Amino acid sequence: MSPSPKVRRVCGQEEYRECEQLQRIVWGSISVSSELMSVTQKYGGVVLGVWQGKELAGFLYAFLGQHGRKLIHWSHMMAVHPTYRDQGLGLRMKLAHRRLALERGVRSIGWTFDPLQSRNAALNIHRLGAQVDNYAEDCYGHFPSIIEKGLPSDRFIVHWAIASRQVEKRLKHGPPSEQKPRAACINETLVNSRGRLENRRIHYGLRDSILLLEIPSHTELMREQDLALARRWRLETRRMFQRYFVAGYRVKDFMPPGSISPDRCFYLLAKGGRLDRRRKIE
Ligand SMILES: CC(C)(COP(=O)(O)OP(=O)(O)OC[C@H]1O[C@@H](n2cnc3c(N)ncnc32)[C@H](O)[C@@H]1OP(=O)(O)O)[C@@H](O)C(=O)NCCC(=O)NCCS
């Protein structure tokens, strides 16, 4: 039986180098060096690792920042080694980060993620109850990451109100029980002759109280096999989110595969809540 995973703060040059190595494996390059990680850890930020036995299976990097007058943690990176994904390690690190941040009086953690990465959406929105504050078009400009090579680096900017009752409730009781919401679908999709999901028709003028927006469940694979189609998905979803955000809709949840459909996944949008225009990455 494999030992249970342990989450703790990363410490010492050797462990920081292992985090660098994990960045190379996951993104193809290093964007936060071991020097920066150790300094961040000393001055208000957090670098957490999760170990399976002696092996570093994942890490999380967050620095201390300011949003308006409040101190926040900005969680710039989290990665789990491909061998260890979908075993709850990402969730464990997020929960450990939350505990640590609360102990230090920090009540909000922010980060960005690619809206087309369904695994991230499942964890961030559905499991943790993070809120989408804004949509950033090509957020980091050209991005050398192997995960999204060839695609504009669009991101949702999210914040996780770690001290709020909503988040506490979601963490304690889990996501609301799945039931197929009576909702119109913004994009009608089909599986094409090569077995890939594509948009057949997109509706921009819907006014229903709840709307669904479908995304592919494996964008990474699609990008590897059909970059042109993945780029189309990027531009089409960008337009859909931006249009409906302007019309007053917000992301309320994400339905991963197995919730309302065995292998399809959807964002759930509803009216209400403001966009946080200060949360823009220039
Ligand atoms: C994002 C990442 C850190 C998540 O780590 P992880 O350990 O796999 O996360 P978890 O196992 O805690 O959660 C993954 C969830 O996605 C779900 N999932 C798996 N495949 C999925 C898919 N194709 N679509 C949607 N959800 C999926 C899992 O079932 C799990 O949810 P559950 O716990 O409710 O069952 C990891 O995928 C990763 O390193 N990705 C590459 C780097 C990255 O994108 N980092 C984040 C931005 S910096």
Side-chain angles (χ1 to χ4, degrees):
M1 213 173 75
S2 57
S4 62
K6 297 256 172 336
V7 181
R8 63 166 171 79
R9 289 172 63 161
V10 174
C11 100
Q13 283 311 314
E14 200 177 314
E15 289 186 359
Y16 287 120
R17 299 255 180 254
E18 287 178 58
C19 295
E20 284 186 343
Q21 181 54 18
L22 207 46
Q23 291 179 49
R24 274 192 211 97
I25 293 168
V26 172
W27 288 286
S29 60
I30 297 172
S31 74
V32 183
S33 66
S34 53
E35 293 84 9
L36 195 54
M37 283 187 265
S38 74
V39 171
T40 305
Q41 181 100 282
K42 275 192 198 125
Y43 295 97
V46 174
V47 190
L48 290 174
V50 57
W51 279 264
Q52 279 286 6
K54 292 194 165 154
E55 191 181 353
L56 181 75
F59 84 103
L60 177 156
Y61 168 83
F63 56 84
L64 184 66
Q66 200 173 345
H67 182 61
R69 295 159 72 150
K70 292 186 189 138
L71 288 182
I72 62 160
H73 270 178
W74 188 263
S75 178
H76 186 57
M77 298 185 112
M78 178 167 87
V80 169
H81 191 288
T83 321
Y84 294 110
R85 290 194 187 151
D86 299 336
Q87 298 172 23
L89 301 190
L91 177 67
R92 280 172 188 257
M93 285 194 284
K94 287 286 189 197
L95 296 179
H97 184 192
R98 175 176 181 261
R99 279 194 298 274
L100 231 146
L102 286 173
E103 275 166 30
R104 293 179 184 179
V106 172
R107 297 164 69 84
S108 173
I109 301 176
W111 65 91
T112 64
F113 77 91
D114 177 349
L116 282 176
Q117 291 290 334
S118 58
R119 184 187 269 111
N120 299 41
L123 175 60
N124 296 334
I125 311 285
H126 193 59
R127 274 261 146 192
L128 298 173
Q131 283 175 31
V132 176
D133 284 333
N134 217 328
Y135 189 99
E137 206 174 297
D138 202 17
C139 186
Y140 303 115
H142 169 71
F143 201 55
S145 157
I146 50 179
I147 298 177
E148 59 180 344
K149 203 168 161 201
L151 298 183
S153 57
D154 288 22
R155 294 286 186 273
F156 274 155
I157 302 174
V158 302
H159 94 273
W160 191 28
I162 53 177
S164 71
R165 279 183 50 202
Q166 293 97 304
V167 165
E168 208 164 291
K169 207 167 127 199
R170 182 153 292 215
L171 295 179
K172 199 164 166 196
H173 303 295
S177 57
E178 319 291 4
Q179 43 179 292
K180 197 173 166 66
R182 289 161 58 84
C185 225
I186 296 173
N187 51 341
E188 292 173 34
T189 58
L190 57 79
V191 176
N192 68 19
S193 56
R194 283 160 295 144
R196 291 179 200 123
L197 191 75
E198 61 178 57
N199 286 313
R200 186 169 64 86
R201 198 155 166 226
I202 299 176
H203 304 277
Y204 287 107
L206 299 177
R207 287 162 182 233
D208 305 53
S209 56
I210 302 175
L211 296 173
L212 295 176
L213 191 162
E214 183 169 9
I215 61 162
S217 51
H218 295 282
T219 303
E220 267 173 83
L221 196 65
M222 179 187 285
R223 191 194 54 78
E224 278 165 26
Q225 297 172 339
D226 190 341
L227 181 59
L229 182 59
R231 282 184 71 86
R232 235 179 78 198
W233 268 102
R234 167 67 84 222
L235 301 180
E236 287 169 346
T237 45
R238 176 192 289 175
R239 195 150 173 242
M240 287 186 258
F241 283 120
Q242 288 180 333
R243 285 279 196 98
Y244 279 95
F245 282 5
V246 167
Y249 287 87
R250 302 289 169 262
V251 171
K252 296 292 172 182
D253 210 340
F254 180 76
M255 302 302 187
S259 50
I260 57 177
S261 158
D263 50 8
R264 296 167 65 192
C265 49
F266 303 85
Y267 284 97
L268 198 147
L269 276 68
K271 286 229 175 177
R274 283 191 312 180
L275 286 184
D276 187 341
R277 301 202 183 276
R278 287 176 306 170
R279 285 192 192 261
K280 222 174 147 198
I281 295 179
E282 305 291 348

